[in-house]
Amino acid sequence: MSLLLALVLLAEPTVADPAPPPVERCGYRIVQSYPHDSSSFTQGLFWDAGHLYEATGQYGHSRVARLDLETGRALAETKLPDDQFGEGITRWGHQIIGVTWRNGVGHRWSIKDLKPLGDFAYDGEGWGLTMVGDSLVLSDGSPDLRFLDPATMTEKSRVTVRFGGRSVSMINELETIDGQIWANIWMTDVIVRIDPASGDVVSLVDLSGLKADAGARGNDSVLNGIAWDAKKKRLFVTGKYWPKLYEIALADCG
């Protein structure tokens, strides 16, 4: 699916914006590739202190794990109950916070050893998670991003993600980079960069061809997973059931 077609199909009509903000469009180049467990249905991904942290989905196979970048192997992991479908994760202080798809149950783990620290409840579905300032941002498949208090899970505000004045649904895995929210759009090769204050899509990143390079097959093996190494300025992406994880750099932006 082409970049623009994907966004058109997923955009929902809203009240027309008289002056939609300009949208940058970028391609990519592969900097390096690494092994990735092809049995992992990647739902959440982030980088912290020299390691990748990954959450996976599917009932009976959901887990949160600390990964070795060079080998893709899990150095530590904690499994979710078999009746829960794991989704996005992010770091908050000494905790990893994670959500589940339709269970309405979230989890907290110690980032030190991945031991459980407690659960919490929330309304609706859980898809992606990231931190923006002191707010936990949750995507749920709708065009809205919910900003929550990470301590209490109380909703503080929300924004509607818009592309050219039209709301965009299927917002999946999230990552915050330099104050912008980067998001996978489910079932596409597109990452969008979102202004968290307005919800406007300010940039599109077209990763067409990366799935084929990874050798991933099947309709479920879609692009999903964004991690940012802020110290070394490295951007990592992968997908569900992909045997590779990539460090990429943006290219041909305009």
Side-chain angles (χ1 to χ4, degrees):
M1 183 182 295
S2 73
L3 177 67
L4 291 179
L5 177 59
L7 267 293
V8 168
L9 292 177
L10 292 169
E12 302 173 0
T14 60
V15 176
D17 187 332
V23 177
E24 179 185 56
R25 291 167 171 79
C26 295
Y28 69 97
R29 63 178 177 85
I30 297 171
V31 177
Q32 193 166 349
S33 64
Y34 300 90
H36 181 249
D37 184 351
S38 61
S39 70
S40 291
F41 191 77
T42 304
Q43 298 286 69
L45 195 70
F46 71 86
W47 178 272
D48 184 77
H51 293 103
L52 284 164
Y53 290 80
E54 181 180 51
T56 62
Q58 300 291 13
Y59 294 109
H61 300 281
S62 296
R63 68 172 186 172
V64 59
R66 180 187 297 118
L67 305 180
D68 177 70
L69 175 63
E70 297 296 332
T71 65
R73 295 176 181 172
L75 302 175
E77 67 175 53
T78 297
K79 295 184 177 180
L80 274 65
D82 286 349
D83 63 348
Q84 293 183 14
F85 194 114
E87 287 279 352
I89 54 171
T90 193
R91 178 175 183 170
W92 177 57
H94 69 285
Q95 298 181 10
I96 297 173
I97 299 178
V99 290
T100 55
W101 182 26
R102 291 178 169 171
N103 298 89
V105 176
H107 299 281
R108 301 177 189 271
W109 301 275
S110 166
I111 198 165
K112 180 180 179 181
D113 54 19
L114 303 189
K115 290 184 177 179
L117 297 176
D119 301 336
F120 57 88
Y122 58 93
D123 295 328
E125 296 186 3
W127 286 40
L129 282 181
T130 191
M131 291 295 300
V132 175
D134 60 0
S135 293
L136 180 71
V137 182
L138 170 69
S139 65
D140 58 11
S142 78
D144 290 341
L145 296 176
R146 288 186 265 169
F147 290 70
L148 310 173
D149 181 328
T152 65
M153 301 306 292
T154 302
E155 184 173 326
K156 301 193 293 185
S157 63
R158 64 174 62 194
V159 298
T160 299
V161 178
R162 297 179 302 168
F163 169 68
R166 298 163 68 93
S167 60
V168 179
S169 60
M170 299 299 184
I171 301 163
N172 205 359
E173 214 270 320
L174 306 175
E175 178 67 88
T176 300
I177 304 175
D178 296 335
Q180 293 180 332
I181 298 174
W182 293 46
N184 288 119
I185 303 299
W186 186 49
M187 298 300 290
T188 78
D189 295 318
V190 178
I191 288 175
V192 295
R193 295 159 68 182
I194 303 163
D195 178 344
S198 66
D200 290 327
V201 172
V202 297
S203 180
L204 307 176
V205 183
D206 184 356
L207 298 185
S208 297
L210 204 57
K211 175 181 175 178
D213 186 275
R217 294 180 173 85
N219 292 334
D220 288 337
S221 300
V222 295
L223 179 74
N224 203 51
I226 309 167
W228 175 243
D229 176 3
K231 185 176 181 179
K232 295 185 178 180
K233 306 297 182 184
R234 295 187 294 177
L235 176 62
F236 300 103
V237 297
T238 191
K240 303 172 188 292
Y241 299 141
W242 284 21
K244 292 182 182 180
L245 177 141
Y246 294 91
E247 179 189 347
I248 64 168
L250 301 190
D252 304 320
C253 296

mmCIF file of all heavy atoms in Angstrom, residues 72-104:
data_model
loop_
_atom_site.group_PDB
_atom_site.id
_atom_site.type_symbol
_atom_site.label_atom_id
_atom_site.label_comp_id
_atom_site.label_asym_id
_atom_site.label_seq_id
_atom_site.Cartn_x
_atom_site.Cartn_y
_atom_site.Cartn_z
ATOM 1 N N GLY A 72 19.536 -10.452 19.614
ATOM 2 C CA GLY A 72 18.076 -10.521 19.650
ATOM 3 C C GLY A 72 17.526 -11.402 20.747
ATOM 4 O O GLY A 72 16.304 -11.553 20.884
ATOM 5 N N ARG A 73 18.398 -11.966 21.556
ATOM 6 C CA ARG A 73 17.953 -12.901 22.597
ATOM 7 C C ARG A 73 17.444 -12.160 23.828
ATOM 8 O O ARG A 73 17.901 -11.070 24.144
ATOM 9 C CB ARG A 73 19.106 -13.822 22.998
ATOM 10 C CG ARG A 73 19.558 -14.751 21.874
ATOM 11 C CD ARG A 73 20.751 -15.571 22.295
ATOM 12 N NE ARG A 73 21.199 -16.456 21.216
ATOM 13 C CZ ARG A 73 22.312 -17.173 21.255
ATOM 14 N NH1 ARG A 73 23.097 -17.124 22.322
ATOM 15 N NH2 ARG A 73 22.632 -17.949 20.229
ATOM 16 N N ALA A 74 16.506 -12.805 24.514
ATOM 17 C CA ALA A 74 15.958 -12.243 25.746
ATOM 18 C C ALA A 74 16.926 -12.502 26.892
ATOM 19 O O ALA A 74 17.295 -13.649 27.170
ATOM 20 C CB ALA A 74 14.605 -12.862 26.051
ATOM 21 N N LEU A 75 17.330 -11.427 27.563
ATOM 22 C CA LEU A 75 18.197 -11.534 28.734
ATOM 23 C C LEU A 75 17.379 -11.720 30.005
ATOM 24 O O LEU A 75 17.877 -12.254 31.001
ATOM 25 C CB LEU A 75 19.062 -10.275 28.852
ATOM 26 C CG LEU A 75 19.935 -9.961 27.641
ATOM 27 C CD1 LEU A 75 20.654 -8.633 27.841
ATOM 28 C CD2 LEU A 75 20.936 -11.084 27.394
ATOM 29 N N ALA A 76 16.153 -11.251 29.980
ATOM 30 C CA ALA A 76 15.203 -11.431 31.076
ATOM 31 C C ALA A 76 13.815 -11.268 30.486
ATOM 32 O O ALA A 76 13.630 -10.548 29.499
ATOM 33 C CB ALA A 76 15.439 -10.410 32.185
ATOM 34 N N GLU A 77 12.821 -11.937 31.065
ATOM 35 C CA GLU A 77 11.468 -11.801 30.564
ATOM 36 C C GLU A 77 10.460 -12.155 31.648
ATOM 37 O O GLU A 77 10.767 -12.879 32.589
ATOM 38 C CB GLU A 77 11.219 -12.675 29.338
ATOM 39 C CG GLU A 77 11.238 -14.167 29.611
ATOM 40 C CD GLU A 77 10.863 -14.981 28.377
ATOM 41 O OE1 GLU A 77 11.472 -14.777 27.310
ATOM 42 O OE2 GLU A 77 9.948 -15.828 28.504
ATOM 43 N N THR A 78 9.275 -11.597 31.507
ATOM 44 C CA THR A 78 8.143 -11.940 32.357
ATOM 45 C C THR A 78 6.940 -12.148 31.450
ATOM 46 O O THR A 78 6.624 -11.293 30.625
ATOM 47 C CB THR A 78 7.847 -10.839 33.383
ATOM 48 O OG1 THR A 78 8.969 -10.702 34.259
ATOM 49 C CG2 THR A 78 6.603 -11.180 34.199
ATOM 50 N N LYS A 79 6.273 -13.279 31.618
ATOM 51 C CA LYS A 79 5.126 -13.598 30.787
ATOM 52 C C LYS A 79 3.846 -13.030 31.392
ATOM 53 O O LYS A 79 3.715 -12.914 32.601
ATOM 54 C CB LYS A 79 5.010 -15.115 30.620
ATOM 55 C CG LYS A 79 6.172 -15.722 29.846
ATOM 56 C CD LYS A 79 5.980 -17.216 29.624
ATOM 57 C CE LYS A 79 7.120 -17.792 28.797
ATOM 58 N NZ LYS A 79 6.952 -19.257 28.573
ATOM 59 N N LEU A 80 2.918 -12.676 30.500
ATOM 60 C CA LEU A 80 1.602 -12.251 30.924
ATOM 61 C C LEU A 80 0.707 -13.483 31.073
ATOM 62 O O LEU A 80 0.994 -14.537 30.495
ATOM 63 C CB LEU A 80 0.986 -11.287 29.898
ATOM 64 C CG LEU A 80 1.344 -9.804 30.039
ATOM 65 C CD1 LEU A 80 2.822 -9.571 29.788
ATOM 66 C CD2 LEU A 80 0.504 -8.957 29.082
ATOM 67 N N PRO A 81 -0.372 -13.360 31.846
ATOM 68 C CA PRO A 81 -1.315 -14.486 31.929
ATOM 69 C C PRO A 81 -1.799 -14.901 30.549
ATOM 70 O O PRO A 81 -1.911 -14.079 29.631
ATOM 71 C CB PRO A 81 -2.464 -13.910 32.778
ATOM 72 C CG PRO A 81 -1.818 -12.838 33.605
ATOM 73 C CD PRO A 81 -0.762 -12.242 32.718
ATOM 74 N N ASP A 82 -2.093 -16.178 30.384
ATOM 75 C CA ASP A 82 -2.452 -16.706 29.073
ATOM 76 C C ASP A 82 -3.708 -16.080 28.484
ATOM 77 O O ASP A 82 -3.902 -16.123 27.267
ATOM 78 C CB ASP A 82 -2.637 -18.224 29.148
ATOM 79 C CG ASP A 82 -1.319 -18.972 29.261
ATOM 80 O OD1 ASP A 82 -0.257 -18.344 29.077
ATOM 81 O OD2 ASP A 82 -1.346 -20.186 29.541
ATOM 82 N N ASP A 83 -4.567 -15.517 29.340
ATOM 83 C CA ASP A 83 -5.804 -14.921 28.835
ATOM 84 C C ASP A 83 -5.663 -13.433 28.550
ATOM 85 O O ASP A 83 -6.665 -12.744 28.328
ATOM 86 C CB ASP A 83 -6.953 -15.157 29.815
ATOM 87 C CG ASP A 83 -6.735 -14.490 31.165
ATOM 88 O OD1 ASP A 83 -5.607 -14.022 31.438
ATOM 89 O OD2 ASP A 83 -7.705 -14.443 31.956
ATOM 90 N N GLN A 84 -4.426 -12.926 28.540
ATOM 91 C CA GLN A 84 -4.185 -11.516 28.248
ATOM 92 C C GLN A 84 -3.337 -11.365 26.987
ATOM 93 O O GLN A 84 -2.392 -12.125 26.767
ATOM 94 C CB GLN A 84 -3.504 -10.818 29.428
ATOM 95 C CG GLN A 84 -4.396 -10.733 30.653
ATOM 96 C CD GLN A 84 -3.756 -9.973 31.792
ATOM 97 O OE1 GLN A 84 -2.741 -9.280 31.608
ATOM 98 N NE2 GLN A 84 -4.335 -10.073 32.978
ATOM 99 N N PHE A 85 -3.676 -10.354 26.190
ATOM 100 C CA PHE A 85 -3.022 -10.074 24.920
ATOM 101 C C PHE A 85 -2.191 -8.804 25.117
ATOM 102 O O PHE A 85 -2.726 -7.707 25.184
ATOM 103 C CB PHE A 85 -4.102 -9.847 23.852
ATOM 104 C CG PHE A 85 -3.634 -9.877 22.429
ATOM 105 C CD1 PHE A 85 -4.053 -10.885 21.575
ATOM 106 C CD2 PHE A 85 -2.804 -8.882 21.918
ATOM 107 C CE1 PHE A 85 -3.658 -10.899 20.245
ATOM 108 C CE2 PHE A 85 -2.402 -8.891 20.600
ATOM 109 C CZ PHE A 85 -2.827 -9.916 19.760
ATOM 110 N N GLY A 86 -0.882 -8.961 25.228
ATOM 111 C CA GLY A 86 0.000 -7.842 25.526
ATOM 112 C C GLY A 86 0.036 -6.812 24.412
ATOM 113 O O GLY A 86 -0.062 -7.150 23.236
ATOM 114 N N GLU A 87 0.203 -5.549 24.814
ATOM 115 C CA GLU A 87 0.288 -4.455 23.850
ATOM 116 C C GLU A 87 1.487 -3.557 24.192
ATOM 117 O O GLU A 87 2.546 -4.073 24.510
ATOM 118 C CB GLU A 87 -1.031 -3.677 23.813
ATOM 119 C CG GLU A 87 -2.166 -4.425 23.121
ATOM 120 C CD GLU A 87 -2.133 -4.329 21.607
ATOM 121 O OE1 GLU A 87 -1.318 -3.550 21.061
ATOM 122 O OE2 GLU A 87 -2.931 -5.027 20.954
ATOM 123 N N GLY A 88 1.324 -2.231 24.125
ATOM 124 C CA GLY A 88 2.453 -1.318 24.239
ATOM 125 C C GLY A 88 3.056 -1.234 25.634
ATOM 126 O O GLY A 88 2.407 -1.545 26.640
ATOM 127 N N ILE A 89 4.314 -0.795 25.681
ATOM 128 C CA ILE A 89 5.031 -0.573 26.931
ATOM 129 C C ILE A 89 5.820 0.726 26.830
ATOM 130 O O ILE A 89 6.145 1.200 25.747
ATOM 131 C CB ILE A 89 6.008 -1.724 27.280
ATOM 132 C CG1 ILE A 89 6.984 -1.993 26.115
ATOM 133 C CG2 ILE A 89 5.258 -2.986 27.701
ATOM 134 C CD1 ILE A 89 8.107 -2.956 26.464
ATOM 135 N N THR A 90 6.136 1.284 27.992
ATOM 136 C CA THR A 90 7.028 2.438 28.059
ATOM 137 C C THR A 90 7.649 2.485 29.443
ATOM 138 O O THR A 90 7.167 1.845 30.386
ATOM 139 C CB THR A 90 6.273 3.750 27.759
ATOM 140 O OG1 THR A 90 7.202 4.811 27.535
ATOM 141 C CG2 THR A 90 5.332 4.136 28.897
ATOM 142 N N ARG A 91 8.704 3.253 29.588
ATOM 143 C CA ARG A 91 9.337 3.433 30.894
ATOM 144 C C ARG A 91 8.788 4.671 31.590
ATOM 145 O O ARG A 91 8.580 5.717 30.971
ATOM 146 C CB ARG A 91 10.861 3.567 30.752
ATOM 147 C CG ARG A 91 11.512 3.816 32.119
ATOM 148 C CD ARG A 91 13.017 3.845 32.106
ATOM 149 N NE ARG A 91 13.510 4.021 33.481
ATOM 150 C CZ ARG A 91 14.776 3.904 33.847
ATOM 151 N NH1 ARG A 91 15.696 3.610 32.946
ATOM 152 N NH2 ARG A 91 15.135 4.069 35.106
ATOM 153 N N TRP A 92 8.539 4.526 32.899
ATOM 154 C CA TRP A 92 8.194 5.654 33.761
ATOM 155 C C TRP A 92 8.983 5.481 35.059
ATOM 156 O O TRP A 92 8.689 4.591 35.845
ATOM 157 C CB TRP A 92 6.698 5.708 34.046
ATOM 158 C CG TRP A 92 6.314 6.820 34.986
ATOM 159 C CD1 TRP A 92 6.565 8.141 34.826
ATOM 160 C CD2 TRP A 92 5.643 6.674 36.238
ATOM 161 N NE1 TRP A 92 6.083 8.855 35.905
ATOM 162 C CE2 TRP A 92 5.507 7.986 36.785
ATOM 163 C CE3 TRP A 92 5.137 5.586 36.952
ATOM 164 C CZ2 TRP A 92 4.879 8.214 38.022
ATOM 165 C CZ3 TRP A 92 4.511 5.821 38.171
ATOM 166 C CH2 TRP A 92 4.393 7.120 38.693
ATOM 167 N N GLY A 93 10.008 6.316 35.233
ATOM 168 C CA GLY A 93 10.852 6.180 36.423
ATOM 169 C C GLY A 93 11.502 4.818 36.462
ATOM 170 O O GLY A 93 12.131 4.377 35.494
ATOM 171 N N HIS A 94 11.320 4.111 37.576
ATOM 172 C CA HIS A 94 11.918 2.779 37.715
ATOM 173 C C HIS A 94 10.974 1.684 37.226
ATOM 174 O O HIS A 94 11.257 0.497 37.389
ATOM 175 C CB HIS A 94 12.284 2.511 39.176
ATOM 176 C CG HIS A 94 11.098 2.349 40.080
ATOM 177 N ND1 HIS A 94 10.334 3.417 40.499
ATOM 178 C CD2 HIS A 94 10.537 1.239 40.628
ATOM 179 C CE1 HIS A 94 9.354 2.977 41.276
ATOM 180 N NE2 HIS A 94 9.457 1.667 41.370
ATOM 181 N N GLN A 95 9.864 2.083 36.629
ATOM 182 C CA GLN A 95 8.859 1.125 36.194
ATOM 183 C C GLN A 95 8.794 0.997 34.672
ATOM 184 O O GLN A 95 9.090 1.933 33.941
ATOM 185 C CB GLN A 95 7.458 1.541 36.672
ATOM 186 C CG GLN A 95 7.269 1.598 38.160
ATOM 187 C CD GLN A 95 5.836 1.995 38.517
ATOM 188 O OE1 GLN A 95 4.946 2.053 37.668
ATOM 189 N NE2 GLN A 95 5.604 2.262 39.800
ATOM 190 N N ILE A 96 8.371 -0.173 34.237
ATOM 191 C CA ILE A 96 7.841 -0.361 32.892
ATOM 192 C C ILE A 96 6.332 -0.457 33.037
ATOM 193 O O ILE A 96 5.829 -1.243 33.855
ATOM 194 C CB ILE A 96 8.385 -1.633 32.222
ATOM 195 C CG1 ILE A 96 9.908 -1.551 32.048
ATOM 196 C CG2 ILE A 96 7.716 -1.862 30.867
ATOM 197 C CD1 ILE A 96 10.524 -2.845 31.547
ATOM 198 N N ILE A 97 5.609 0.349 32.287
ATOM 199 C CA ILE A 97 4.152 0.294 32.284
ATOM 200 C C ILE A 97 3.710 -0.336 30.976
ATOM 201 O O ILE A 97 4.216 0.018 29.901
ATOM 202 C CB ILE A 97 3.533 1.691 32.438
ATOM 203 C CG1 ILE A 97 3.959 2.315 33.770
ATOM 204 C CG2 ILE A 97 2.010 1.617 32.342
ATOM 205 C CD1 ILE A 97 3.428 3.723 33.983
ATOM 206 N N GLY A 98 2.785 -1.279 31.053
ATOM 207 C CA GLY A 98 2.276 -1.940 29.856
ATOM 208 C C GLY A 98 0.771 -2.089 29.895
ATOM 209 O O GLY A 98 0.171 -2.114 30.975
ATOM 210 N N VAL A 99 0.169 -2.179 28.702
ATOM 211 C CA VAL A 99 -1.274 -2.363 28.607
ATOM 212 C C VAL A 99 -1.581 -3.639 27.833
ATOM 213 O O VAL A 99 -0.702 -4.242 27.209
ATOM 214 C CB VAL A 99 -1.963 -1.146 27.931
ATOM 215 C CG1 VAL A 99 -1.917 0.057 28.854
ATOM 216 C CG2 VAL A 99 -1.317 -0.816 26.578
ATOM 217 N N THR A 100 -2.849 -4.045 27.892
ATOM 218 C CA THR A 100 -3.332 -5.202 27.150
ATOM 219 C C THR A 100 -4.414 -4.745 26.183
ATOM 220 O O THR A 100 -4.971 -3.659 26.310
ATOM 221 C CB THR A 100 -3.884 -6.279 28.101
ATOM 222 O OG1 THR A 100 -4.887 -5.705 28.941
ATOM 223 C CG2 THR A 100 -2.762 -6.856 28.954
ATOM 224 N N TRP A 101 -4.702 -5.585 25.228
ATOM 225 C CA TRP A 101 -5.578 -5.194 24.120
ATOM 226 C C TRP A 101 -7.009 -4.926 24.579
ATOM 227 O O TRP A 101 -7.474 -3.788 24.584
ATOM 228 C CB TRP A 101 -5.532 -6.282 23.042
ATOM 229 C CG TRP A 101 -6.355 -5.997 21.823
ATOM 230 C CD1 TRP A 101 -6.717 -4.773 21.331
ATOM 231 C CD2 TRP A 101 -6.908 -6.971 20.934
ATOM 232 N NE1 TRP A 101 -7.465 -4.917 20.189
ATOM 233 C CE2 TRP A 101 -7.602 -6.256 19.922
ATOM 234 C CE3 TRP A 101 -6.877 -8.364 20.878
ATOM 235 C CZ2 TRP A 101 -8.259 -6.904 18.881
ATOM 236 C CZ3 TRP A 101 -7.516 -9.006 19.831
ATOM 237 C CH2 TRP A 101 -8.199 -8.281 18.854
ATOM 238 N N ARG A 102 -7.723 -5.961 24.977
ATOM 239 C CA ARG A 102 -9.137 -5.812 25.320
ATOM 240 C C ARG A 102 -9.453 -6.246 26.745
ATOM 241 O O ARG A 102 -10.625 -6.370 27.102
ATOM 242 C CB ARG A 102 -10.000 -6.608 24.335
ATOM 243 C CG ARG A 102 -9.995 -6.014 22.929
ATOM 244 C CD ARG A 102 -10.813 -6.848 21.972
ATOM 245 N NE ARG A 102 -11.019 -6.151 20.702
ATOM 246 C CZ ARG A 102 -11.549 -6.712 19.623
ATOM 247 N NH1 ARG A 102 -11.936 -7.990 19.652
ATOM 248 N NH2 ARG A 102 -11.700 -6.013 18.516
ATOM 249 N N ASN A 103 -8.441 -6.464 27.541
ATOM 250 C CA ASN A 103 -8.668 -6.922 28.910
ATOM 251 C C ASN A 103 -8.963 -5.786 29.879
ATOM 252 O O ASN A 103 -9.494 -6.023 30.966
ATOM 253 C CB ASN A 103 -7.451 -7.711 29.423
ATOM 254 C CG ASN A 103 -7.173 -8.954 28.609
ATOM 255 O OD1 ASN A 103 -6.449 -8.898 27.624
ATOM 256 N ND2 ASN A 103 -7.767 -10.071 28.989
ATOM 257 N N GLY A 104 -8.591 -4.541 29.500
ATOM 258 C CA GLY A 104 -8.766 -3.431 30.427
ATOM 259 C C GLY A 104 -7.844 -3.515 31.626
ATOM 260 O O GLY A 104 -8.091 -2.882 32.651
#
